[in-house]
Amino acid sequence: MTSNYHPLPAQNLTGTVRIFQAPAPEHVVLESPALDVMTNFRQVNAAITAPNVAMELANAYMMQHGVRSLFVVNQDHTLIGLITASDILGEKPLRFIQERRVKHNEILVSDIMTPLNNLEAIAIEEVARAKVGDVVSSLRESGRQHALVIEKGVNDIPPTICGIFSLTQIEKQLGTTIIPTEVAKTFAEIEARLAAS
């Protein structure tokens, strides 16, 4: 340590002391602008990981940072995929273990991520005109937890992911639970089968 640094003065805590709490996410309604529920990467850093990171480490990072997805980028920060908590906690690792005969702790992010060519994104121009209800409808229809938002590239600059929608975040801001359409279809199928038997 150099002498350029000095201990900061501290004070004893007495009496009434409060803890600062960040404001709750802004309450929105389905008619609110979609931008109100988008995580904007111009304001917040995207959570990223590398393809050769152990899946368990990626999961620990997500839990530590309170996120449910990580962008998978290569050395030059080019997007190559996306890994979600559902990927890690779902059936993908078990299938991979059975197919490759590896141990759970040997699975890498690249083994179970959704590769770039299987990802979709909504154009920022569409988002700018959309309502929260449109985003909810898109997520329900796709049965996904997340939707990426992309900005067109200009000249030599490639397209850029500039935001993400998270179903969990939208539920918090709406103050309600959103049932995916896929689940509803499944229940309908179950009821149909029960009625037929």
Side-chain angles (χ1 to χ4, degrees):
M1 279 281 193
T2 68
S3 58
N4 295 340
Y5 300 102
H6 306 285
L8 299 173
Q11 59 189 35
N12 288 330
L13 300 180
T14 58
T16 303
V17 178
R18 296 177 55 207
I19 294 182
F20 180 82
Q21 292 187 321
E26 184 185 334
H27 185 75
V28 297
V29 295
L30 292 173
E31 279 298 305
S32 300
L35 288 170
D36 287 357
V37 294
M38 182 183 90
T39 300
N40 187 337
F41 295 144
R42 291 183 193 95
Q43 299 167 351
V44 177
N45 283 332
I48 63 170
T49 188
N52 59 347
V53 168
M55 175 191 74
E56 291 177 348
L57 283 177
N59 189 41
Y61 180 90
M62 281 191 235
M63 290 192 304
Q64 219 173 16
H65 291 85
V67 296
R68 295 190 50 80
S69 66
L70 298 172
F71 290 100
V72 185
V73 297
N74 60 20
Q75 291 167 334
D76 65 355
H77 285 277
T78 302
L79 181 65
I80 60 170
L82 182 77
I83 187 166
T84 67
S86 300
D87 292 331
I88 294 171
L89 304 173
E91 295 176 11
K92 278 186 175 182
L94 296 174
R95 274 189 272 145
F96 190 80
I97 289 169
Q98 290 171 344
E99 289 169 11
R100 301 287 175 89
R101 306 258 186 248
V102 296
K103 294 179 183 159
H104 194 268
N105 64 359
E106 295 173 336
I107 300 174
L108 302 178
V109 165
S110 59
D111 296 328
I112 63 164
M113 72 178 190
T114 302
L116 181 69
N117 58 357
N118 289 352
L119 294 175
E120 296 175 341
I122 303 167
I124 187 68
E125 296 82 10
E126 293 292 331
V127 171
R129 294 188 295 263
K131 305 280 186 208
V132 171
D134 299 320
V135 176
V136 170
S137 177
S138 299
L139 289 168
R140 288 185 73 222
E141 189 63 31
S142 68
R144 294 190 175 143
Q145 293 287 311
H146 302 90
L148 307 181
V149 181
I150 195 162
E151 190 173 69
K152 269 190 275 189
V154 196
N155 301 328
D156 291 342
I157 301 169
T160 305
I161 298 296
C162 60
I164 190 170
F165 291 109
S166 159
L167 193 61
T168 308
Q169 181 62 32
I170 294 171
E171 285 176 332
K172 280 183 197 165
Q173 288 183 258
L174 285 172
T176 186
T177 301
I178 300 163
I179 310 287
T181 305
E182 293 299 311
V183 172
K185 283 181 189 171
T186 306
F187 283 128
E189 288 169 7
I190 291 168
E191 285 178 340
R193 285 186 193 142
L194 287 172
S197 56

